[in-house]
Amino acid sequence: MTITRRTVLAGTALATAPIGGSAALAQTSPATPSTAASNSPSQQAPGFYRYKVGEIEVTAINDGFARRPVEGFIKNAELKDVQAALQEAFLPTDAFPITFNTLVLNQGGKITLIDTGNGDMGAPTSGRWMANFRAAGFDPVQVSTVVISHFHGDHINGLRLKDGTAVFPNAEVMVPAPEWAFWMDDARMNQAPEAMKGAFQGVLRVFGPIAEDVKRYEMDKEVVPGLTSIAAPGHTPGHTAYMLSSGSAKLMIMSDVTNHPALFVRNPDWSAVFDMDAEQARATRRRMLDMAATERAQVAFYHAPFPATGHIAKEGNGFRFVPVQWSSAV
């Protein structure tokens, strides 16, 4: 077949035509495409995505993103190597987007959150969590349990607004015991370097008013039915990952074992500026990525591109993140 401008235009017309002819046209909105476009704001569809782990319905809720300057982000790699990895992944090489993705577990109407996003304390391009949560059909008063993986602000600030309002009034809050012991220690806060004092104060802002009611969980324990804590230290002292199980189905919830997969799954020995114990974080990362690849387990990452779930494949001295194929079926 000879490719001409006419055949290209004809193919484009076919590709954009409604399937089903006049019957399909009859079911569309009465607004013309030009009218619909002029009345629609330039924004994405709500950022939620549902999938099943056995009998448990999981919903990923996106909280937007923040742009992070590349220079200085990875402590033990040359800038040119980091930029090459970003370029290979078709990402910007000066400042790249880091996404935020929490999980909602629905077990017969019992709603559990894993982390809460930035609340109203994040970058201007974040703070989308509540709108997406509501768009997914949830209401904050329905939440019975909030499970926190670690105490960085992008995971805990969604618990409490700037004005002090508690966002989930009926929820039990559960946190890792080693994380609580580190961040809620007044002596350690007073001795912390100036650059870390804000993080300690942020933790106190969120948890101080409810300190007596916060439940602390240990590692290798079932936190809520089907959700088992896994020690994953290094990123923070009590950083926690999870195994979600239902029947024979499993999901490894990696939390912040990696930041962006294009960097830290491909290069697990790189150290992000956020990793408090870089050596321990690298060992944790390799161990968990290797486990996921060996077991061909489905994984979820907090900072992977939405919907932030897929699989891990071994590749050379590192690994590769293979996103799930989007499906209209849950």
Side-chain angles (χ1 to χ4, degrees), residues 180-263:
W180 183 273
F182 180 87
W183 292 103
M184 295 295 285
D185 185 307
D186 289 340
R188 185 175 279 112
M189 179 175 67
N190 293 333
Q191 296 165 8
E194 200 60 37
M196 281 190 64
K197 282 191 175 358
F200 277 96
Q201 291 163 359
V203 168
L204 194 59
R205 181 193 75 82
V206 170
F207 293 115
I210 56 171
E212 292 184 359
D213 299 318
V214 173
K215 183 175 181 180
R216 286 152 255 180
Y217 61 84
E218 300 293 341
M219 298 301 104
D220 300 316
K221 302 293 184 182
E222 191 173 57
V223 182
V224 297
L227 186 72
T228 300
S229 57
I230 301 172
H235 182 60
T236 65
H239 178 258
T240 305
Y242 309 92
M243 182 67 79
L244 181 66
S245 305
S246 175
S248 61
K250 296 182 184 298
L251 175 72
M252 290 182 67
I253 301 169
M254 298 285 216
S255 303
D256 280 12
V257 166
T258 84
N259 197 272
H260 200 296
L263 297 176

Side-chain angles (χ1 to χ4, degrees), residues 70 82-97 260-263 266 305:
V70 175
V82 179
Q83 290 176 323
L86 290 168
Q87 188 171 34
E88 185 179 348
F90 298 92
L91 291 167
T93 58
D94 53 350
F96 69 102
H260 200 296
L263 297 176
R266 299 297 296 273

Side-chain angles (χ1 to χ4, degrees), residues 74-318:
I74 296 179
K75 298 184 290 184
N76 63 335
E78 296 288 338
L79 177 60
K80 63 180 177 59
D81 295 331
V82 179
Q83 290 176 323
L86 290 168
Q87 188 171 34
E88 185 179 348
F90 298 92
L91 291 167
T93 58
D94 53 350
F96 69 102
I98 296 176
T99 56
F100 310 101
N101 303 286
T102 75
L103 295 179
V104 180
L105 312 182
N106 186 347
Q107 296 171 281
K110 179 176 168 57
I111 305 300
T112 299
L113 307 185
I114 303 179
D115 292 331
T116 64
N118 293 274
D120 56 358
M121 302 281 286
T125 47
S126 68
R128 307 296 194 265
W129 190 90
M130 185 57 72
N132 290 331
F133 181 71
R134 289 188 181 279
F138 300 113
D139 188 288
V141 299
Q142 295 176 292
V143 177
S144 57
T145 310
V146 177
V147 178
I148 298 294
S149 67
H150 65 293
F151 286 4
H152 281 166
D154 56 323
H155 295 255
I156 65 172
N157 281 337
L159 277 169
R160 189 174 303 283
L161 300 181
K162 279 182 185 178
D163 65 7
T165 302
V167 176
F168 307 104
N170 302 320
E172 178 180 50
V173 178
M174 305 183 71
V175 304
E179 194 77 345
W180 183 273
F182 180 87
W183 292 103
M184 295 295 285
D185 185 307
D186 289 340
R188 185 175 279 112
M189 179 175 67
N190 293 333
Q191 296 165 8
E194 200 60 37
M196 281 190 64
K197 282 191 175 358
F200 277 96
Q201 291 163 359
V203 168
L204 194 59
R205 181 193 75 82
V206 170
F207 293 115
I210 56 171
E212 292 184 359
D213 299 318
V214 173
K215 183 175 181 180
R216 286 152 255 180
Y217 61 84
E218 300 293 341
M219 298 301 104
D220 300 316
K221 302 293 184 182
E222 191 173 57
V223 182
V224 297
L227 186 72
T228 300
S229 57
I230 301 172
H235 182 60
T236 65
H239 178 258
T240 305
Y242 309 92
M243 182 67 79
L244 181 66
S245 305
S246 175
S248 61
K250 296 182 184 298
L251 175 72
M252 290 182 67
I253 301 169
M254 298 285 216
S255 303
D256 280 12
V257 166
T258 84
N259 197 272
H260 200 296
L263 297 176
F264 297 97
V265 173
R266 299 297 296 273
N267 303 279
D269 295 324
W270 284 359
S271 297
V273 68
F274 306 126
D275 292 339
M276 293 176 65
D277 185 329
E279 184 175 352
Q280 190 175 50
R282 288 193 296 268
T284 293
R285 189 177 303 122
R286 276 207 170 269
R287 170 174 56 85
M288 295 200 67
L289 290 173
D290 186 70
M291 186 190 313
T294 301
E295 297 184 7
R296 297 181 63 83
Q298 185 173 348
V299 299
F301 290 108
Y302 193 80
H303 293 297
F306 187 76
T309 185
H311 295 83
I312 300 297
K314 292 184 179 180
E315 187 169 85
N317 190 43

